[in-house]
Amino acid sequence: MTASQSARQAATSGKPKLAFRPLPVPQVDVRGFWGDRVDAVATRTAGILYDRCVEARMLEQIDPDRPSPGVVIPFHSPSPDEAASPGAEFTGSTVTTQMFWDSDWGKTIETAAYSLYRRRNDDLEKKIDAVIDIYGKLQQPDGYLSSWYQRIQPGLRWTNLRDCHELYCAGHLIEGAVAYYQATGKRKLLDIMCRYADHIAQTFGPEPGKRKGYCGHEEIELALVKLARVTGEKKYMDLAKYFIDQRGLEPHYFDEEARARGADPKAYHFKTYEYSQSHRPVREQDKVVGHAVRAMYLYSGMADIATEYGDDTLRVALDRLWDDLTTKNLYITGGIGPSSHNEGFTADYDLPNETAYAETCASVGLVFWASRMLGMGPNARYADMMERALYNGSISGLSLDGSLFFYENPLESRGKHNRWKWHRCPCCPPNIGRMVASIGSYFYGLSDDALAVHLYGNGTARFDIAGRQIELTQASNYPWDGAVSMTVEPEAPTEFTLHLRLPAWCRKAALKVNGEAVDLDAVTSDGYAAIRREWRKGDRVELDLEMAVDRLYANPQVRQDIGRVALARGPLIYCVEETDNAGQLHRIALPRTAQIEAHEQPNLLGGVVTLSAVAKKEAFENWEDGLYRPEPPAVEETKVTAVPYFAWDNRDPGEMLVWLRDL
Ligand SMILES: [Zn+2]
């Protein structure tokens, strides 16, 4: 069977083709490291997101019973093209309103939904129900639903898909609806969003008379896949595929759409459609370009469609893009998108540290993409990167107590980059909130007769294989220690394969099943050890992943990192902070001979392992008033202490540095 035949067959059978599905959030209880993070989101972040959306006056925008902020206090009424400039907003005397606020509600609802699994919260649930009631009132009889186009720019719906986030907002509300339905059993928002998705399907598609467009900010694609999976309605999957297939075709929809609203297509703020990955058809793309979050959401949707339709042409494109990202355009923290100008990618190996944009949402998006690539089967190529982004560049965006946020995640700071309560473009807080609150679903992949363990950590997973219930418990102090002990408890003996990831950072791993050593070379492929056997109650798997301290170097083509070294231990990238090392971190140099010691610090930053070493530091004493002189500065010894990057800026504000000078 050719790839296109199999794609057609898959597409027409209507059955999901996901080889390895993530476990639903409530089937995985996480404890330990991730348990603490989820608790912070469930007890603090979820409520904070709601409160700050209200404080930002987002309820006024969506509630048809209240005066519309953009109508009552008209200050400036931009054309759709003006409104598309970055950070576009209407500012009245007291009100600022944004075109993407529906998406912030969508993600806030999603975060609340996952948090309710962790901890019942009647007050929060009531508040979310009330928001959903408002959306119910706002929805138009034909199913259309957009607070921006109904309340702020009426009469202009579907006139500027390129810039105005219309389908993007629909996508986030769909994701919120799916999660809220799964968490509470309440269908109201799901039904609202099905009606809206039906309206979108009547408006867009290959049939004559329908619009041939797609959103400038991808998101609707992956959301429609979720909607299709939860409702069993294949039409939503087909619509997701349509948006992906249509992207970048000529004549270009965004050109035609601009002309239709009387605008010059060339008068485009971002100049190139690379910004929205619509510069060419997705199957011909081979470079990660443009806005980083958009790129990650597109590739996530492509991965879903590749899996659902068995579409190898998408898979091949995704692998090219994956290579391009991970070998030339990725920060060591799993951050992506160095530039604030396009919130995205620039040139290969351009990875400035202090000005790194590395938006929290972009690393979250990388986690989404990687986890979907794992739907095609266990492969450490994707899981290692998912882990890198999870433990570093994404959760750095949330303070340890769950109350403060980063938008940018630089790898160097002179002390002025500090966490904030809220942002006028508040995309990141609910994005990191929903990812952390649903972390259990990233741990495992389940197929008909196999379970893949992608992530390690204290916790319990429940799943069914061959109609039998199985419980798998991990006991581990991961990521501080690489010893993982698992017990498998099937209700009756059950044969299946257990795939265990052997992380690339681990140079020496050992595996025992019921005390018997397993020859890892014989059972490992694509970075996963596969153990197939009839599992019985009480079976025990012990995986020992040696967790050494690593000195990591960047490809010399990265000009900003040449002559520098970063410290890592297990999945964690480390940084030095002023509060542990005094200021002027640029003066520190780490000799290659330095012994780097790891120390457990249960009372520091919620319990971390720090790294310390004796380093060198240029002295500026005896320099007097001079700026330059022929003699080099004296060098003195200094103790350097490094903490995990994700935990930085949770104490006294100050300088921070990931890449130290290498001596
Ligand atoms: Zn963001």
Side-chain angles (χ1 to χ4, degrees):
M1 198 189 303
T2 66
S4 64
Q5 279 169 332
S6 78
R8 262 198 304 279
Q9 193 182 70
T12 50
S13 69
K15 265 188 163 175
K17 294 296 174 294
L18 201 53
F20 280 79
R21 282 182 173 276
L23 293 184
V25 178
Q27 285 176 228
V28 185
D29 294 331
V30 291
R31 297 184 286 275
F33 180 88
W34 285 107
D36 292 345
R37 304 274 98 69
V38 178
D39 283 336
V41 171
T43 56
R44 299 206 67 188
T45 317
I48 283 172
L49 294 176
Y50 174 85
D51 290 343
R52 300 206 178 137
C53 285
V54 173
E55 284 164 26
R57 305 188 63 178
M58 292 192 196
L59 279 179
E60 274 105 312
Q61 176 163 317
I62 67 171
D63 190 347
D65 292 342
R66 300 188 203 198
S68 161
V71 172
V72 169
I73 317 173
F75 177 81
H76 173 54
S77 183
S79 70
D81 280 277
E82 285 177 299
S85 61
E89 60 201 347
F90 288 116
T91 305
S93 54
T94 54
V95 180
T96 297
T97 180
Q98 301 267 21
M99 62 175 65
F100 40 74
W101 274 356
D102 287 336
S103 74
D104 298 310
W105 276 125
K107 284 183 279 184
T108 296
I109 292 168
E110 196 180 347
T111 305
Y114 299 136
S115 299
L116 291 174
Y117 288 128
R118 186 76 175 184
R119 182 174 167 272
R120 293 309 315 169
N121 184 338
D122 293 340
D123 177 52
L124 181 63
E125 196 172 333
K126 252 187 232 155
K127 288 171 176 165
I128 298 297
D129 286 342
V131 173
I132 291 170
D133 287 342
I134 294 174
Y135 272 113
K137 280 189 293 183
L138 182 65
Q139 187 166 39
Q140 297 199 337
D142 65 359
Y144 184 80
L145 183 62
S146 157
S147 66
W148 179 262
Y149 279 109
Q150 291 175 247
R151 308 264 298 146
I152 314 293
Q153 290 201 308
L156 290 176
R157 70 159 94 161
W158 309 135
T159 57
N160 189 352
L161 297 183
R162 186 188 70 187
D163 304 314
C164 291
H165 298 71
E166 209 168 356
L167 289 165
Y168 164 85
C169 284
H172 276 303
L173 283 171
I174 288 171
E175 285 200 271
V178 170
Y180 201 66
Y181 164 66
Q182 289 172 328
T184 63
K186 295 177 186 171
R187 286 197 64 100
K188 182 161 183 176
L189 186 57
L190 188 67
D191 290 339
I192 289 170
M193 295 317 295
C194 283
R195 281 198 294 278
Y196 189 17
D198 291 343
H199 174 77
I200 294 168
Q202 286 155 14
T203 308
F204 296 91
E207 297 84 3
K210 290 188 180 178
R211 292 171 190 266
K212 302 293 177 276
Y214 43 86
C215 196
H217 196 317
E218 303 90 328
E219 154 67 22
I220 185 76
E221 301 83 358
L222 68 89
L224 285 167
V225 171
K226 284 190 178 180
L227 190 63
R229 286 179 183 157
V230 78
T231 60
E233 290 281 0
K234 187 172 166 293
K235 62 183 173 184
Y236 300 136
M237 197 71 81
D238 291 342
L239 184 58
K241 183 172 185 297
Y242 173 75
F243 284 137
I244 282 167
D245 290 346
Q246 190 64 19
R247 194 167 203 85
L249 296 188
E250 294 292 343
H252 205 285
Y253 185 80
F254 295 158
D255 285 348
E256 300 195 323
E257 180 195 60
R259 286 188 206 102
R261 63 172 183 266
D264 177 1
K266 292 204 167 52
Y268 174 44
H269 179 83
F270 292 103
K271 308 287 185 228
T272 161
Y273 292 147
E274 285 190 353
Y275 177 68
S276 56
Q277 299 79 37
S278 60
H279 55 301
R280 59 170 76 157
V282 297
R283 288 171 180 78
E284 295 170 20
Q285 297 191 21
D286 53 10
K287 292 284 305 164
V288 292
V289 292
H291 187 279
V293 179
R294 294 174 198 233
M296 294 305 109
Y297 285 9
L298 170 64
Y299 308 152
S300 297
M302 285 166 64
D304 279 339
I305 294 300
T307 310
E308 291 287 347
Y309 290 80
D311 187 336
D312 287 336
T313 61
L314 281 175
R315 210 170 288 192
V316 168
L318 285 167
D319 267 319
R320 278 199 311 265
L321 292 163
W322 185 270
D323 273 342
D324 185 60
L325 178 75
T326 57
T327 64
K328 301 184 185 74
N329 292 289
L330 180 78
Y331 283 103
I332 198 167
T333 53
I336 51 175
S339 169
S340 61
H341 167 68
N342 63 348
E343 302 191 285
F345 300 102
T346 52
D348 288 350
Y349 306 110
D350 177 35
L351 296 164
N353 292 307
E354 193 177 353
T355 60
Y357 199 68
E359 182 180 344
T360 301
C361 285
S363 280
V364 169
L366 175 56
V367 172
F368 292 165
W369 180 23
S371 74
R372 282 163 171 85
M373 297 303 276
L374 292 168
M376 304 176 204
N379 189 332
R381 167 180 161 83
Y382 310 116
D384 283 344
M385 217 49 78
M386 178 171 83
E387 182 179 66
R388 174 71 62 91
L390 269 173
Y391 278 98
N392 302 285
S394 66
I395 54 167
S396 54
L398 182 63
S399 66
L400 294 176
D401 70 358
S403 69
L404 299 171
F405 309 95
F406 275 147
Y407 195 110
E408 300 100 330
N409 293 276
L411 287 78
E412 176 174 2
S413 166
R414 295 187 209 181
K416 297 282 183 261
H417 186 75
N418 305 118
R419 298 174 185 279
W420 35 259
K421 272 183 71 181
W422 202 240
H423 198 280
R424 71 188 176 89
C425 174
C427 54
C428 297
N431 226 354
I432 189 65
R434 68 186 180 134
M435 187 202 79
V436 169
S438 59
I439 186 69
S441 67
Y442 298 91
F443 266 67
Y444 302 96
L446 181 68
S447 75
D448 290 344
D449 69 342
L451 182 83
V453 185
H454 302 311
L455 298 173
Y456 299 108
N458 219 347
T460 302
R462 288 170 295 278
F463 54 96
D464 280 14
I465 285 182
R468 297 207 182 90
Q469 276 186 10
I470 298 161
E471 197 171 274
L472 182 145
T473 298
Q474 291 194 41
S476 174
N477 195 26
Y478 201 90
W480 312 117
D481 186 302
V484 183
S485 172
M486 297 182 203
T487 51
V488 184
E489 300 274 340
E491 59 177 351
T494 308
E495 187 178 339
F496 67 93
T497 305
L498 189 64
H499 297 272
L500 302 169
R501 182 173 66 100
L502 304 175
W505 53 256
C506 175
R507 281 188 287 277
K508 200 170 138 210
L511 177 65
K512 284 182 188 167
V513 177
N514 293 330
E516 264 184 50
V518 174
D519 177 1
L520 282 173
D521 288 340
V523 299
T524 301
S525 67
D526 293 329
Y528 280 73
I531 315 295
R532 185 161 188 90
R533 57 183 278 129
E534 187 178 71
W535 295 96
R536 292 164 176 272
K537 232 180 209 340
D539 277 347
R540 208 174 160 79
V541 176
E542 279 155 282
L543 180 63
D544 201 3
L545 302 169
E546 187 183 85
M547 199 175 265
V549 178
D550 278 321
R551 295 177 65 118
L552 299 178
Y553 299 91
N555 185 313
Q557 295 182 82
V558 182
R559 66 178 61 236
Q560 294 91 349
D561 297 341
I562 196 127
R564 291 182 176 264
V565 59
L567 297 178
R569 184 172 179 274
L572 298 169
I573 302 299
Y574 278 71
C575 68
V576 292
E577 283 197 277
E578 183 174 342
T579 183
D580 300 309
N581 297 285
Q584 304 211 322
L585 301 176
H586 65 275
R587 288 163 54 212
I588 296 173
L590 191 64
R592 292 195 177 176
T593 51
Q595 285 287 322
I596 302 166
E597 291 175 0
H599 308 273
E600 271 186 53
Q601 306 268 16
N603 299 318
L604 182 70
L605 295 164
V608 296
V609 169
T610 59
L611 304 180
S612 69
V614 176
K616 306 279 189 196
K617 196 171 188 178
E618 271 89 347
F620 56 80
E621 286 81 7
N622 305 322
W623 204 267
E624 289 152 9
D625 289 336
L627 187 55
Y628 305 105
R629 73 178 194 195
E631 301 83 27
V635 174
E636 58 194 27
E637 281 197 344
T638 185
K639 191 187 165 202
V640 61
T641 298
V643 297
Y645 172 76
F646 76 82
W648 89 275
D649 199 44
N650 276 282
R651 296 172 291 168
D652 295 335
E655 291 181 30
M656 180 276 294
L657 189 60
V658 170
W659 288 100
L660 302 170
R661 283 190 301 133
D662 179 50
L663 202 61

